[in-house]
Amino acid sequence: MAKLHGFLADQARITDQEGRFARESVEGLAEAGVFAAIVPVDLGGLGVERLHDLTVITARVARVDASVAIAYSVHIALA
């Protein structure tokens, strides 16, 4: 997640200026495996099991781009 902070912050500035959804940020999180956080490790996910850990992930994303954090939260809630 720390590696993505700068990328997400840059993308947040760009998408805010352009008034569009942060597709690149979502794709970056997906490529990093963040959207598969609750998938077991043996199935290719991160193996996160605690709600606290998901909350920390969401909070870290929200610090740089709240709209992406909402998209992430919705995705995780459906999973």
Side-chain angles (χ1 to χ4, degrees), residues 5-73:
H5 185 272
F7 172 74
L8 293 175
D10 290 343
Q11 289 301 311
R13 281 189 292 277
I14 292 167
T15 56
D16 283 350
Q17 289 172 349
E18 296 177 0
R20 62 179 178 84
F21 182 71
R23 178 180 309 274
E24 294 84 357
S25 295
V26 171
E27 290 172 353
L29 290 172
E31 289 172 12
V34 176
F35 278 86
I38 60 174
V39 175
V41 174
D42 60 334
L43 296 176
L46 299 179
V48 173
E49 295 179 351
R50 297 180 340 153
L51 182 58
H52 173 267
D53 296 333
L54 290 176
T55 303
V56 169
I57 292 169
T58 305
R60 288 185 180 175
V61 173
R63 285 185 190 127
V64 290
D65 194 328
S67 66
V68 174
I70 291 169
Y72 175 74
S73 180

